[in-house]
Structure formats: C-alpha cells, structure tokens
Amino acid sequence: MQSRYNAAEIEPKWQARWQQMDLFTTRTGSDATKFYCLDMYPYPSGELHMGHMRNYILGDVLARHKTMTGFNVLHPMGWDALGLPSELAAVKNQMHPREWTLNCISRMREQFDRLGISYDWSREVNTCLPEYYRWDQWFFLKFFEKGLAYRALAPVNWCPSCETVLANEQVIQGACERCDTPVVRKELEQWFYRITAYADRLLEDLSSLTEWPERVLAMQRNWIGRSQGVRIKFAVGGRNEFIDCFTTRADTLFGATFVVLAPENPLTMDLARRAGKEAQLTTFISRCRSQAAALRAGEEIQKEGIFLDAYAVNPANGKRIPIWTANYVLMEYGTGAIMAVPAHDQRDLEFARQYDLPVRIVIQPEGEELTEGSLTEAHVGEGVMVNSGQFSGVPSEKGKDAVADFLESKGAGEREVQYRLRDWCISRQKYWGAPIPIVYCDQCGIVPVPEDQLPVLLPSGADLTSKGAAPLASDPTFLHTTCPRCRRPARRETDTMGTFVYSSWYYLRFASPHCNDAPFDRDAVRHWLPVDKYVGGIEHAILHLLYARFFTKAFSDLGLVDFQEPFRNLFTQGMIYRHGAKMSKSKGNVVTPDEICDKFGADTARLFILFLGPPEQDTEWSDQGIEGCHRFLNRLWRLAYDLLSSKEGQVRYVPSWREEIAKAQFSAEAKELRRKVHQTIRKVATDIEQRMHFNTAISSLMELTNSAVSFLDRSQGLPANPGDSLVLSEAIHNLVLMLSPFAPHVADEIWESLGQEGSTYRQPFPKWEESLTVEEMWTIVVQVDGRFRDRLEVPAGTDTEDIRQSALNLPRVQRHTQGKAIRQVIVVPPKLVNVVTGNRTA
Ligand code: ANZ
Ligand code: ZN
C-alpha cells in the first residue's frame, strides 16, 4: 500500500475493474428480493453540474447499499432526449438535434462514470431512438381507439413575424425571443390525452401512496382540484334560455345579486350584440387575454366589467338580477359563468363596490352582526342563513345540502363535481419529437396509421426554423403520403409529441429495454415494478408524476400492466444553492463534477455533496467543506497504511481477526472502541435505511475514524495487547465496508490492500451486534454528609461534572439538602459522591 492517498490513480483503476467484473449488470433470475432504484433521467443538456449530481449520487448510495444488504437491485439510467429543450439547445449551437443530443449523451455518460455511479448501462434507454418512440406512437393509437386521444382547438403562442408557434419558454415578456415581435394567441387543432377521465382515480389513489412526501401529495391534490357543488340554472329574463352557474356555495343563493359571464363565453357576445356593445366587448376580450389566467382568477387584479343590459332570474326568490361580464371569471373553469354573492365572496364584493351593485348578507357569523353598508371584507366563513326565505335559521353547512335538494326537486339545478385538472395537450408544432401517427384524408377524414407501419420516422430533411405552423410540414416527402384506408393521396399530421409523453413510461422500459415486439415484456415488468425508490427533484412533483400515474392507470385498463401506481416510494431532494441562487448554468454559479474530480477525486465529490445537509432540504454550497471531506479520506487511508505497516509486536492489522476476536481479551480503551464500531454500524444502517440521512451517516464514519486513529496513536510504540490489534482490525474492516456505498473507489483500494478479494460492492454490508453496543454502567453510591442516601446509574466514562449534577438532582438527595447550603460535592468516579452541607440558609 502506498503511503499517500492518490485518487487520480486509484479511481480510473477501479472503474476499469468494475467494468471488467461486469459489476453493475443487473442479475436476472436471482431469488433475492428485488429492489428497483430509479433516479429521474436527465435531458441531455451536455453538462451535469453538482446540483444535478446530488440526485444521482443519492440514488447511487442507496442502490449500492441495497445491493450490499442482499437485494437484487435494478439501477438503470437513460436519456429524456426528445423534446423542446434539446431542440432549442441544438438550434442555438447550430447542430442537428440528433447529433447534438448524441454528443451530449456521450459526454454525460462520461461524467456519470467518472463519479463511479453504479448504473447498469446495458439497460440504457434513449427516447430519441425510433425503437423507443415507436411505442409512444403505439400508445397513441391505443389511446385513440379508446377515446383517450382526441383533437380539439386550443390556443398557441404565435409569432406573426417568424410565422411560427412558440413554446412558452420562447415567449419573453409577451414577445418572441428571436425577433421581439409581440406574441399573439392563435387557435389550432391539437391533440389531447383525456387525463380528466382519470381525475377521480388519480385523486383517490393518492391515499395509497403512504411513502410519498406529504408535500407532493398535497400538490397533486391541489392540481387535480376536486370541488363539489351545484350547477344552478338562472333563466335569462323573458327568454327560454338559461345561464348555468357552478357554485360551491349553494347556501348563499339568496344573496346572489348579479350574474357574471366570462368575457369569452359565447353567450356574452350574444347579449353584447343585442345591447349594441359588440365593439366594446371585443376590445375588452383582447385586454383580458393579455392577463394570465392565474392572475385573472386571483384577488389582486383590478376588477373590470361591462353590464350586458340583460337580467336573469334568481331561482330561489324569483328576483331579477343584472347580467355582467368581468375579467375575473374564467371560461376554462366550471361553466364560465358565476352567480355573484358580494357579501360572501371577496372578488364579487370588490366588483359590486366598484359598479355600485347591491350587497345582500345571507350568512351571519355567530356572535356578530354584519351590516351591508359597512362591509369591506366578504364574510366567507360559516354562519347561520338569514334573508333566505324558508331556509333562514339553517346553519350554512347544512344549508348547502338543503338548497341543493330544493333546486334539484324544482329542476333548477343539479349537484356536480368540478375538477381544476384539464386534459393534457400533447401536440407540439416542433421538430424534435415523435410524429403523431395520424393521416388526414379528404375521403376518410382522420385515419390512424396502422400499427404495422410504425414507427412513423422523424424525417431528417425538415427545416427546423421554417415558417408555417410546423417544421415537419416543410418536408414534402414526409407530409405527402397515401391514405392507409383508401390509398388515395393524403397528408400526415405534422405535430410531434411533447417531452412529458416519453417520460411517462420510461420506468417501464427499463425492465426490458431491448424488447422489440412490445413496449415492454410483461413478465419483466411484473417482476421489477413498481419502482421501490424514485429519487428526483420537487420540480416534477406535479406534471411528470401525474402523467406517469395516468399512463400506468390507462395501461392497466388496456391490460398492459397489473398495478395501479408506478412509484411506491418517492424521495424528493432539495436544491443546491450557491451565492444565494439556485445552481444553474444561466445563473453562472455552477460547480461541475469535473472540477471537483480533477482537484480531489470522485470519492471526495460524492462524500461532499452528501455531507452538505439532509438531502430533502435545500442547501447552500460551501467550498470549504470539500477540504474537510478530502481530509477524512486521507485520514482513513493513513489509518489503514499505519496498521498495515506497523511492526511485529505493535498494534497492527490481523487478517484473521474475525476468528480470534470472540475469545480475546482487550484493554478498557479497546473495549470502548469496539462499542463505538458497533454503535456506528447501527447508526449508519438506520440513517441510510430509514431517512436517507447520508450526512449524519458520514459524520459517524468520520467520528469512528477519529477514534480509531487516536487509539492507534496512543498505543503506537508501546508493546501491544494482542486483543487490541483485533479490535482495530475489526474497525478498519467495517469502516471500509460502510464507506463503500459513499466512496467506493477508495473503499475498494483499501479493501484490496487488506488482502481481500474483489470489490466491496459484492460484500455484505456490516451488521452490528446489539449486545456490543450497550454502554457499561457505573453504579455510584451517593452520600449526604457521609450517610448513604441513594445509588446513581450512569454510563461508564461519564464526566465528573455530569455525575455531580445527576447526584444533586436525585429526589432523596434533594430531600436531605433542602433548606441547607451545599458546601462541597466530592466526586470519586466510578464509586462515590459525597455531598457536604453547611448551615441552614437564611
Ligand atoms: C357563488 C359563491 C358564493 C362562490 C360565495 C363562492 C363564495 P372552487 O372551490 O375553486 O371550485 N367560480 C366558479 N366558476 C368560476 C369561473 N369560471 N371563474 C371564476 N370563478 C368561478 O371555487 C368555486 C367557486 O369559484 C364558485 O362558488 C364560484 O363562486 C367561483 F359566497 O359561487 B362561488
Ligand atoms: Zn382515405
């Protein structure tokens, strides 16, 4: 063994060895319990920084630890290679997206390998290859057959000068990122996946996800946004026409003093026309469109509206109430119309005050008497119904049901459930995606491409920056085809699928990545899924996870899988900040793994990112901390070196310690070190398994190393107790194995120097012996003024001051010292405490 730790030498050596040994190839046909450890795959940006690496190192430590504890582990990696991020980066770098992406992938694979991540590369999945995306097209066809894929008009961002559709990311403050022209909204026919058909199941099954962070469950619940309410019919004055309003507060119906339509509601234009306010409404609509939907529905925005010169009838009391249109009512939610109850809804109140509309209190909070004139804040809470005809006196919560029953019996309303969740638009008018497998024929209409003609290949000849709606339309050899049904000339769909489509099922593909007659092999998926630990960023808490859950449920309905939820346990890691901002290339504050590897080596990089803090929390990067982690590895190396090179008769490494240690005699210090070894094993194992708190696990390894080093320092040069050598051998042996998931290269190198075979990865993770972790206790006699009063139990080695305090706190001691001054406390560890009192205190 060399005296100095040299990461640059040992890391490439072990990486090559691991490859020769085929160490990370998943074992198939093993009867060990399976463990599927998945890290969210990256999109190939070309450069992973330490912020990204936190994710992958966390997953790697877990995968390695699970392997060492006897599980059969699947730990794969792939590339989210198709979609807008890659296309934009490629265009910027003036390369074809395919070439750009493949370059990035090989660069990033090197980065992963250089850090010693234990991926099974034989299962690599790359979504931009036709062998992958053909299955996205196949799923599309299955969904289409089932009515889960459909075409509808939907708005896109359109740059009138570039004549192209822009992704949201390409719109900078309302203008095109390329030419600064203001972006307009344009309606296009696009493809949707009907995720709303699964809204209820997506919501209900959240309760089965007991190993997901509560925060993520809440975000999903909110996104789905289930509301239970009533759809109430308001007759339009003098006509056989109704406005449906969705409300969650039927109990406030008597307080509805006007109706508000969304500006985009078709009825709004109808009424405006009759009122001769068509032009006014048109300007109003375009002004509303420039306000983001989320803003419009909020309370902050300045309320604005137009009276439509028409009246509706409140079905509760037959009163005539005016019909308005206003910016704060959205077309996309509910029915695109509301009954306004200004006394009990803040937005309605602000609107009513602005346009001088009546406010009518119908819910009185308990113990208060609200008055209409002075109301500045709506009372949105519970109370008792007032001014509500036959319902007056009913508590508002009960009133919701009572009014709903009343409306249903009159045929004036129906209970209804609304969701905030919208169908998923999968169409992109972009090049770098899987073409949607549809053909348009003048005779036959919309014709799906037959399964046996898949994949519809992405043409290489398309002009990426072409004018017109979609780049694929610029390639005539792609665009023109024959109708699969009638063989007449037809046109292909030119939209491609968005990025989220591919990532909705990649975790299934890893089970059988080379399957070529199906998206995945049923048995392999049955064996490996669901994912046992999914590690990734909180930024995917909503869309990606929801889409993946939707795919799984839809696949289950198609008979493709036999489970309902793809990810059993989810771990969301916190972000890395540096100089106060999230680490990212655009902020210019990244630290690359290569910098750290060059200077300190991969093992230090791995340890450091884990040592920064609890992995679920956001953490600030610190350049100083790295040195500390590097020093720790040096110290451990030195310990092994000293043990291996010390002379006969001194404390030294004994390869056969395991056989001898049971019957050996140790010094008191050695006994204590041994206890520390077993306590550390227990701490590290539980920190990893129960909480993924790798930072505290690493601290314990550092402490144990320090204890072993100072023990060795103290005994060096002295004639050795043979038992002490065995304890130090046990310590170094377990340290190296425990370190293996965290810093695998140095662990394997020391392992080899200790004369052991192969890689630590193939060794069982250390187990502790509970009996050896127990602290020895001292039983101390406690006297007051020389007379026995009690006994005190403390862990052996407790310091004098602690013993003194514990003795004084004993109830029996307190009884005998009460009211007296304490002159002196004599502590004689490990046997005696004597409390000496003086005169009575005043
Ligand atoms: C009358 C009412 C009285 C309301 C009251 C609230 C309080 P959630 O829980 O989010 O589903 N609303 C319905 N459709 C809307 C739309 N398209 N744009 C803006 N607001 C809309 O909210 C349901 C409530 O949001 C509904 O209940 C409606 O206002 C409003 F004291 O109706 B409520
Ligand atoms: Zn046809």
Side-chain angles (χ1 to χ4, degrees):
M1 191 180 190
Q2 291 186 355
S3 62
R4 280 203 51 235
Y5 165 50
N6 184 348
E9 207 169 282
I10 65 177
E11 289 177 358
K13 165 184 152 184
W14 282 100
Q15 285 160 13
R17 284 255 191 111
W18 296 338
Q19 213 176 344
Q20 273 162 24
M21 295 165 72
D22 219 7
L23 206 59
F24 307 131
T25 303
T26 316
R27 288 170 293 154
T28 47
S30 145
D31 13 294
T33 311
K34 69 95 181 176
F35 190 90
Y36 185 175
C37 179
L38 183 65
D39 312 322
M40 289 184 183
Y41 70 167
Y43 81 84
S45 59
E47 196 65 58
L48 289 164
H49 59 64
M50 286 305 286
H52 303 123
M53 280 304 184
R54 187 185 208 188
N55 187 173
Y56 303 109
I57 293 170
L58 283 170
D60 192 50
V61 172
L62 196 78
R64 285 174 175 272
H65 175 259
K66 282 287 169 191
T67 303
M68 291 176 75
T69 45
F71 289 85
N72 186 26
V73 172
L74 172 61
H75 188 216
M77 189 35 71
W79 313 99
D80 193 3
L82 215 43
L84 188 71
S86 303
E87 177 164 346
L88 295 182
V91 168
K92 209 174 196 173
N93 289 281
Q94 296 183 316
M95 273 165 98
H96 190 275
R98 187 184 165 86
E99 196 190 346
W100 164 259
T101 304
L102 295 180
N103 278 349
C104 289
I105 287 176
S106 67
R107 166 87 195 93
M108 288 163 75
R109 233 185 102 152
E110 276 169 28
Q111 286 188 302
F112 281 135
D113 287 342
R114 194 170 177 203
L115 278 171
I117 311 275
S118 64
Y119 292 134
D120 174 359
W121 286 120
S122 72
R123 288 179 185 249
E124 181 176 7
V125 159
N126 180 348
T127 61
C128 77
L129 302 179
E131 70 220 40
Y132 184 87
Y133 72 66
R134 67 173 296 177
W135 300 111
D136 286 295
Q137 296 173 335
W138 189 82
F139 295 135
F140 178 93
L141 296 177
K142 298 287 160 201
F143 283 10
F144 185 71
E145 256 168 49
K146 286 259 173 186
L148 285 178
Y150 66 92
R151 212 160 86 109
L153 272 181
V156 292
N157 306 306
W158 176 259
C159 172
S161 140
C162 300
E163 289 176 39
T164 180
V165 175
L166 300 177
N168 289 335
E169 297 90 318
Q170 296 173 291
V171 180
I172 312 291
Q173 289 178 328
C176 171
E177 68 163 4
R178 280 192 274 179
C179 68
D180 249 1
T181 311
V183 168
V184 297
R185 264 161 64 121
K186 189 171 156 174
E187 304 271 324
L188 283 185
E189 289 275 359
Q190 304 191 68
W191 288 94
F192 288 83
Y193 280 164
R194 204 182 298 279
I195 189 173
T196 53
Y198 286 78
D200 253 330
R201 281 166 66 185
L202 288 166
L203 187 68
E204 273 165 27
D205 288 354
L206 287 175
S207 65
S208 72
L209 300 174
T210 54
E211 295 180 41
W212 279 36
E214 195 41 58
R215 176 157 79 125
V216 176
L217 294 174
M219 286 161 93
Q220 294 237 329
R221 220 173 274 129
N222 268 335
W223 190 261
I224 297 167
R226 184 181 197 273
S227 287
Q228 203 152 0
V230 186
R231 176 191 284 255
I232 304 179
K233 284 182 167 336
F234 288 76
V236 179
R239 298 168 181 274
N240 196 15
E241 216 176 351
F242 292 93
I243 298 174
D244 281 2
C245 298
F246 175 74
T247 179
T248 48
R249 294 294 307 274
D251 55 316
T252 65
L253 178 57
F254 287 80
T257 52
F258 51 101
V259 162
V260 188
L261 302 178
E264 301 89 343
N265 191 323
L267 184 61
T268 311
M269 189 48 92
D270 243 33
L271 295 176
R273 237 175 241 137
R274 286 180 224 165
K277 293 181 171 175
E278 198 176 341
Q280 200 187 340
L281 179 65
T282 309
T283 343
F284 183 57
I285 291 178
S286 62
R287 203 164 50 239
C288 290
R289 283 215 166 143
S290 64
Q291 304 172 333
L295 246 167
R296 266 174 63 184
E299 287 182 358
E300 298 78 29
I301 201 153
Q302 177 67 40
K303 309 280 172 301
E304 210 187 328
I306 303 172
F307 177 43
L308 295 169
D309 294 358
Y311 294 86
V313 179
N314 185 332
N317 53 16
K319 285 207 170 126
R320 238 167 62 109
I321 54 178
I323 304 176
W324 286 69
T325 181
N327 56 345
Y328 72 96
V329 176
L330 304 176
M331 193 55 216
E332 300 85 40
Y333 188 64
T335 58
I338 64 158
M339 65 176 205
V341 185
H344 304 292
D345 182 283
Q346 189 59 27
R347 297 171 302 175
D348 295 343
L349 182 63
E350 282 165 27
F351 193 78
R353 294 297 187 216
Q354 190 164 328
Y355 293 100
D356 215 8
L357 294 160
V359 176
R360 186 178 154 95
I361 290 172
V362 292
I363 308 288
Q364 276 294 358
E366 217 174 315
E368 247 180 288
E369 190 74 32
L370 301 177
T371 55
E372 276 137 17
S374 61
L375 205 63
T376 52
E377 241 180 69
H379 170 62
V380 298
E382 293 182 20
V384 175
M385 291 173 73
V386 296
N387 296 326
S388 295
Q390 69 269 40
F391 298 99
S392 294
V394 176
S396 56
E397 269 310 301
K398 278 211 182 109
K400 285 183 184 170
D401 266 325
V403 175
D405 287 343
F406 162 79
L407 290 168
E408 283 185 340
S409 72
K410 275 193 22 166
E414 261 172 47
R415 284 184 170 79
E416 193 175 83
V417 172
Q418 283 284 339
Y419 294 92
R420 207 156 285 281
L421 183 68
R422 291 286 157 261
D423 277 336
W424 170 15
C425 178
I426 62 153
S427 275
R428 297 291 180 275
Q429 295 71 39
K430 290 282 154 197
Y431 170 73
W432 192 233
I436 291 175
I438 286 287
V439 167
Y440 299 100
C441 168
D442 288 340
Q443 302 289 319
C444 315
I446 298 178
V447 183
V449 174
E451 245 178 68
D452 59 14
Q453 290 176 27
L454 297 185
V456 177
L457 288 174
L458 188 57
S460 49
D463 176 2
L464 268 65
T465 53
S466 70
K467 296 201 166 189
L472 291 193
S474 71
D475 185 335
T477 62
F478 176 85
L479 185 63
H480 302 297
T481 182
T482 52
C483 169
R485 247 177 233 159
C486 70
R487 305 270 147 226
R488 270 184 265 246
R491 273 178 317 108
R492 281 192 193 281
E493 169 62 67
T494 54
D495 282 356
T496 54
M497 301 181 194
T499 319
F500 279 115
V501 174
Y502 319 108
S503 53
S504 294
W505 69 283
Y506 78 107
Y507 50 91
L508 296 170
R509 184 72 180 168
F510 282 131
S512 52
H514 309 295
C515 184
N516 55 26
D517 56 357
F520 43 79
D521 177 87
R522 303 280 302 259
D523 290 334
V525 163
R526 194 170 294 134
H527 176 71
W528 286 112
L529 274 286
V531 171
D532 294 288
K533 180 74 99 181
Y534 195 24
V535 184
I538 189 83
E539 66 275 19
H540 294 299
I542 298 178
L543 293 183
H544 162 59
L545 292 173
L546 200 64
Y547 293 150
R549 296 180 59 224
F550 159 59
F551 261 45
T552 301
K553 290 179 196 304
F555 289 179
S556 147
D557 291 352
L558 287 165
L560 299 172
V561 301
D562 37 32
F563 49 90
Q564 293 296 321
E565 288 291 337
F567 312 121
R568 194 173 59 73
N569 180 307
L570 175 72
F571 187 89
T572 47
Q573 92 271 6
M575 265 170 322
I576 300 285
Y577 283 75
R578 186 159 176 252
H579 307 323
K582 186 182 142 192
M583 193 178 277
S584 98
K585 206 166 167 183
S586 63
K587 299 259 162 42
N589 63 351
V590 301
V591 177
T592 66
D594 306 80
E595 292 170 48
I596 313 279
C597 286
D598 287 343
K599 215 164 157 196
F600 301 102
D603 284 335
T604 300
R606 294 170 60 108
L607 272 184
F608 175 62
I609 198 83
L610 298 173
F611 193 57
L612 271 179
E616 72 278 9
Q617 287 174 17
D618 292 346
T619 312
E620 177 77 21
W621 178 268
S622 116
D623 289 312
Q624 291 81 42
I626 307 177
E627 313 259 352
C629 287
H630 195 58
R631 267 199 305 275
F632 159 56
L633 293 180
N634 273 306
R635 236 167 131 70
L636 181 70
W637 182 275
R638 188 78 204 176
L639 174 68
Y641 177 80
D642 285 348
L643 279 173
L644 284 167
S645 54
S646 54
K647 295 187 196 60
E648 202 66 55
Q650 296 179 341
V651 173
R652 62 205 299 259
Y653 181 67
V654 182
S656 58
W657 62 271
R658 209 185 272 285
E659 292 88 69
E660 296 171 36
I661 200 162
K663 38 191 190 321
Q665 299 285 314
F666 323 114
S667 65
E669 287 85 1
K671 235 182 194 168
E672 216 176 299
L673 179 63
R674 187 150 200 233
R675 187 177 316 122
K676 181 124 192 155
V677 170
H678 285 265
Q679 286 174 341
T680 305
I681 299 174
R682 181 174 61 192
K683 169 109 175 89
V684 170
T686 43
D687 279 351
I688 296 181
E689 271 162 34
Q690 292 176 3
R691 310 180 299 159
M692 304 241 297
H693 275 194
F694 300 149
N695 56 326
T696 50
I698 294 169
S699 307
S700 328
L701 292 177
M702 291 174 168
E703 277 177 37
L704 178 59
T705 305
N706 289 343
S707 303
V709 166
S710 47
F711 180 83
L712 181 64
D713 283 351
R714 265 181 276 129
S715 54
Q716 233 158 17
L718 301 173
N721 175 345
D724 292 1
S725 287
L726 302 180
V727 171
L728 266 168
S729 303
E730 182 186 31
I732 186 81
H733 191 100
N734 284 303
L735 265 170
V736 165
L737 290 177
M738 283 191 277
L739 190 68
S740 168
F742 300 99
H745 310 85
V746 65
D748 275 3
E749 181 70 19
I750 300 178
W751 187 247
E752 189 182 56
S753 304
L754 296 178
Q756 306 284 344
E757 290 279 309
S759 167
T760 50
Y761 182 81
R762 289 263 161 85
Q763 293 296 317
F765 198 80
K767 291 196 177 66
W768 73 93
E769 257 180 66
E770 194 65 43
S771 63
L772 293 175
T773 64
V774 183
E775 303 273 354
E776 251 176 83
M777 301 300 275
W778 283 341
T779 306
I780 300 176
V781 167
V782 183
Q783 302 174 333
V784 177
D785 296 326
R787 295 179 58 181
F788 173 83
R789 293 300 178 200
D790 206 349
R791 272 184 243 278
L792 182 65
E793 292 268 331
V794 296
T798 303
D799 72 44
T800 312
E801 181 50 32
D802 288 349
I803 295 174
R804 191 184 112 99
Q805 265 317 318
S806 308
L808 289 174
N809 288 339
L810 289 171
R812 287 196 198 152
V813 172
Q814 298 215 322
R815 213 178 317 134
H816 289 94
T817 54
Q818 207 164 33
K820 295 178 185 168
I822 292 173
R823 278 246 207 88
Q824 205 185 357
V825 182
I826 303 159
V827 182
V828 192
K831 290 217 167 69
L832 183 82
V833 175
N834 187 13
V835 182
V836 182
T837 67
N839 299 327
R840 281 186 166 276
T841 49

